[in-house]
């Protein structure tokens, strides 16, 4: 069942929008792309100040005991302003893994600092194109981890990672002594890094089928947050396209009067609203049997909405749309980096169809 | 249990009790006339059970409940394939407009009660050969004739006109003013001398739409439901009556689980089709799209329950769902290969892929074409400029043909 936002939730949306619009500008974001190892500090500072990092964690560990619905609303606004640091999802994912599968000791050690945002978490499940590999590249021997976890979003700054290792095993790793190599990316603000484990101590959270199921659950939680961020980005682009189409004139009239343009923007409206609807639904299904199905649908429609909006918004702008200065490429880049984090559409299509066909593992 | 849940439970129980008499199996093989007769009995049963005119005033035979109760009942009713299609337009637009604008209240009450019980059917005479989307471009005219009016011209795409007793009609009463300003709204007796109804056979084989010809059809002035020249506003009111109806994210075609079942049965190049990436992608994308619509519709219902007005995103339903139905139906025929040729023109588009496919284009045109809906979204929701309209502000009889 879908939901209506209550007053508190609406206030979170309004307040986070206000805070982010006041603190983010395109001119701050552009330089981040050309430098490795820099993320949008004002965003993370805002996230900590506003308590967004604590939002979806239990009160016992300094959290605010809210959930995916509220975090999703903030992610939506972060997506609108393009400001989201990768930790919004990576730290959340790591914290949820510890909360759901960790021991009391592990929770006490990590959750309070993850809640305050002082500690940054990461998720390292993927092996190349496979976000949930049957044979992880990282090997667990006893309680030691060896091998390279490739292209971990936020990995450059993470203090702790939840890793899918051989077994399969879901393990918790303190990254303080771990070597990391930044990856030069089309969206450097995601702070993507290869993490090299060399006989690194690891603590097991789950093993075997339970580890795989746990990893999928964490991915799905993150995917719902990311889907909100993608939908926010798509919505902002739709508005940018709309504004440009009523202002820019050609052949004696606003270009938005041409059906080839106005219909393109109307189609974007459809994609954005379907994605938003699926996001709201998925966030409200956390803890229910159909959560993974709802998360997959949200993820698929949000990816389609953001990529299409990025493509079409640039097209509607014509030549100016491809310049560095106007910054639409920031959205193009972010649409793609968010589409790859937590599994591409191919992955989520399979997850969804397995469930619809009654074949889920 | 909330009041609404209790209402839903009552609706579920009643609908289920009607299945043996009026369900899909009972209708199988019936001629249209026999099905209509069954439909009239169904409508009477619905009236007697208190499920007709759910949100209409009790003094006109309605139940005096809210819109939310109406769509809740219809969502349940829709699951069973009852013979109610003949009354959809009648009770959807013309009769509510009659209730609102009909000048003679005794006449109105009699008509409403008969329509609610399936005894009389009303049609809506709007579209014309020269203008469907451009409603205000219509050419059928009414001229004053003694104490009344005389109608000449032609309407088209009039659903169920061949079975209708009455119709509401918009005609041009003044060609010398701008096109929107010269229209007047009347009701007509479909059995009156000079009215000729000709069914149009559609691509899928059925004939629920008609051409209707008016040849010196005389009506008295008490048939008039708008001020002279004020018909366009009433026509718009007609179109706005049912903004939120019970919707179907399958675009009134087969549900996605039928496609999944087909993909599990059929082998494609030696492997189960459900394992084929192309098929999987279509299933996943269609699911995501339809789930989005379902979520929008649920939110709209919740907003109505809470006394709020739903957002404009409900306007996406027909646009998005019918396109998906059309493509998925093509793909279902592809999956069956030569086995997909079999065609039964009386099969239901709700569970037969060929029937769904051949009838899908109607869904993309009727009730606002895809292009019109995109314009509406762009202009009304997003505030983009209107299309260029060279006929704006020009007297109707001076618009270049």
């Amino acid at each position: 069942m879908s939901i209506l936002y209550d007053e508190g939730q609406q206030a979170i949306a309004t307040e986070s929008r206000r805070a982010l619009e006041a603190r983010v500008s395109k001119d701050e974001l552009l330089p981040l792309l050309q430098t490795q190892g820099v993320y949008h500090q004002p965003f993370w500072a805002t996230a900590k100040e506003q308590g967004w990092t604590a939002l979806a964690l239990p009160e016992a560990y300094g959290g605010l005991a809210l959930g995916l619905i509220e975090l999703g609303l903030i992610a939506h606004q972060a997506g609108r302003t393009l400001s989201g640091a990768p930790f919004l999802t990576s730290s959340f994912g790591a914290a949820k893994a510890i909360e759901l599968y960790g021991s009391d000791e592990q929770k006490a050690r990590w959750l309070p600092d993850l809640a305050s945002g002082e500690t940054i978490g990461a998720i390292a499940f993927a092996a190349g194109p496979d976000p949930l590999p049957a044979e992880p590249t990282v090997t667990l021997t006893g309680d030691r981890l060896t091998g390279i976890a490739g292209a971990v979003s936020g990995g450059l700054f993470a203090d702790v990672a939840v890793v899918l290792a051989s077994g399969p095993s879901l393990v918790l790793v303190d990254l303080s002594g771990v070597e990391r190599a930044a990856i030069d990316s089309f969206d450097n603000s995601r702070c993507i890094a290869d993490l090299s484990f060399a006989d690194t101590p690891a603590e097991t959270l789950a093993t075997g089928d339970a580890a795989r199921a746990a990893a999928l659950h964490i991915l799905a939680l993150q995917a719902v947050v990311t889907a909100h961020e993608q939908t926010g980005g798509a919505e902002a682009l739709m508005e940018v396209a709309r504004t440009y189409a009523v202002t820019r004139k050609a052949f004696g009239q606003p270009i938005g009067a041409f059906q080839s343009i106005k219909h393109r923007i109307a189609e974007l409206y459809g994609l954005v609203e379907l994605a938003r609807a699926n996001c709201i639904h998925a966030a409200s299904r956390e803890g229910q049997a159909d959560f993974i199905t709802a998360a997959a649908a949200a993820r698929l429609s949000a990816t389609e909405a953001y990529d299409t909006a990025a493509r079409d918004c640039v097209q509607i702008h014509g030549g100016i749309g491809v310049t560095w200065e106007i910054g639409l490429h920031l959205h193009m880049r972010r649409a793609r980096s968010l589409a790859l984090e937590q599994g591409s559409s191919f992955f989520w299509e399979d997850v969804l169809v397995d469930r619809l066909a009654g074949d889920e593992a | 249990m909330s009041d609404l849940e209790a209402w839903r439970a009552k609706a579920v129980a009643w609908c289920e009790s009607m299945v043996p008499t009026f369900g899909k199996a009972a209708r199988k093989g019936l001629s249209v006339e026999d099905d209509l007769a069954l439909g009239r009995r169904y409508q009477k049963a619905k009236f007697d059970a208190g499920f007709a005119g759910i949100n209409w005033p009790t003094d006109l035979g309605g139940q005096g409940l809210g819109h939310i109760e109406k769509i809740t009942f219809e969502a349940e009713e829709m699951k069973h394939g009852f013979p109610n299609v003949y009354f959809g337009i009648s009770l959807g637009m013309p009769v509510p407009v009659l209730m609102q604008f009909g000048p003679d209240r005794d006449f109105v009450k009699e008509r409403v009660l008969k329509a609610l019980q399936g005894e009389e059917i009303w049609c809506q005479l709007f579209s014309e050969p020269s203008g469907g989307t451009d409603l205000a471009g219509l050419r059928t005219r009414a001229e004053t004739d003694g104490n009344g009016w005389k109608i000449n011209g032609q309407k088209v795409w009039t659903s169920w006109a061949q079975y209708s007793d009455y119709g509401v009609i918009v005609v041009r009463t003044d060609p010398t003013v701008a096109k929107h300003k010269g229209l007047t709204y009347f009701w007509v007796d479909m059995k009156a001398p000079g009215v000729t109804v000709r069914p149009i056979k559609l691509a899928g084989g059925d004939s629920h739409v008609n051409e209707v010809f008016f040849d010196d059809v005389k009506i008295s002035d008490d048939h008039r439901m708008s001020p002279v020249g004020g018909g366009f506003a009433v026509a718009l009111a007609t179109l706005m009556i049912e903004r939120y109806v019970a919707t179907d994210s399958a675009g009134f075609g087969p549900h996605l689980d039928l496609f999944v079942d087909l993909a599990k049965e059929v082998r494609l190049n030696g492997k189960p089709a459900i394992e084929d990436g192309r098929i999987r992608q279509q299933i996943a994308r269609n699911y995501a799209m339809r789930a989005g619509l379902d979520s929008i519709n649920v939110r709209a219902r919740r907003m109505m329950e809470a006394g709020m007005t739903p957002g404009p995103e409900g306007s996406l339903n027909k646009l998005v769902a019918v396109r998906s139905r059309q493509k998925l139906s093509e793909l279902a025929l592809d999956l069956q290969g030569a086995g997909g040729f079999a065609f039964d023109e009386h099969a239901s588009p709700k569970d037969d892929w060929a029937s769904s496919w051949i009838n899908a284009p109607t869904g993309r045109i009727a009730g606002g074409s895809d292009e019109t809906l995109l314009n509406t979204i762009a202009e009304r929701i997003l505030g983009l400029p209107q299309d260029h309209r060279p006929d704006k502000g020009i007297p109707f009889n001076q618009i270049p043909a």
Side-chain angles (χ1 to χ4, degrees), chain A residues 1-4 242 256 259 262-263 265-267 269-270 273-274 277-278 293 349-350 352-354 356-357, chain B residues 264 280-281 284-285 287-288 291-292 295-296 299 302-303 308 313 316 323 371 374-375 379 382-383 385 387:
Chain A
M1 280 287 130
S2 195
I3 51 142
L4 300 182
R242 184 253 170 222
Q259 283 194 341
K262 71 201 276 192
H263 285 190
I265 301 172
E267 297 277 9
Y269 173 80
E273 290 305 324
L274 290 173
N278 277 328
T293 303
E349 282 167 3
D350 276 336
L352 179 56
V353 177
D354 283 347
L356 297 179
Chain B
K264 286 163 87 172
R280 294 174 75 80
Q281 184 164 64
R285 303 219 155 184
Y287 179 85
S295 179
I296 286 173
R299 256 194 300 150
R302 301 225 152 162
M303 291 188 86
M308 297 183 271
E313 60 275 10
L316 288 169
R323 290 198 295 205
E371 292 72 19
L374 285 168
N375 262 13
E379 293 172 12
L382 301 174
D387 281 7

Side-chain angles (χ1 to χ4, degrees), chain B residues 16-27 30 38 41 82-83:
Chain B
E16 279 169 3
S17 76
M18 291 295 114
V19 168
T21 320
F22 301 110
K24 276 182 213 150
R27 295 175 65 192
L30 292 186
L38 190 73
R41 283 171 51 208
F82 294 135

Side-chain angles (χ1 to χ4, degrees), chain A residues 157-244:
Chain A
F157 292 102
D159 304 296
V160 59
V162 177
V163 181
L164 188 66
S166 62
S169 309
L170 196 65
V171 299
L172 184 62
V173 188
D174 184 334
L175 294 177
S176 43
V178 168
E179 197 180 307
R180 46 195 109 196
I183 290 174
D184 200 4
S185 160
F186 56 78
D187 186 359
N188 275 326
S189 66
R190 304 308 285 174
C191 303
I192 301 160
D194 288 342
L195 306 180
S196 296
F197 302 111
D199 219 25
T200 309
E203 299 167 21
T204 300
L205 296 173
T207 56
D209 289 346
R212 232 186 116 70
L216 178 60
H217 185 69
I218 297 301
L219 274 187
L221 287 168
Q222 290 187 298
V224 174
V225 178
T226 307
H228 279 86
E229 194 171 344
Q230 292 171 300
T231 306
E235 179 187 74
L237 281 173
M238 177 190 74
E239 291 170 11
V240 168
R242 184 253 170 222
T243 304
Y244 190 70

Side-chain angles (χ1 to χ4, degrees), chain A residues 45 82 105 136 140 143 215 230 259 309 316:
Chain A
L82 270 164
E105 205 176 310
L140 182 70
D143 59 358
Q230 292 171 300
Q259 283 194 341
I316 285 164

Side-chain angles (χ1 to χ4, degrees), chain B residues 206-222:
Chain B
D206 69 11
S207 306
H208 75 271
V209 292
N210 302 269
E211 294 179 289
V212 184
F213 298 88
F214 292 86
D215 214 353
D216 281 341
V217 175
K218 290 185 177 149
I219 56 172
S220 56
D221 193 54
D222 63 7

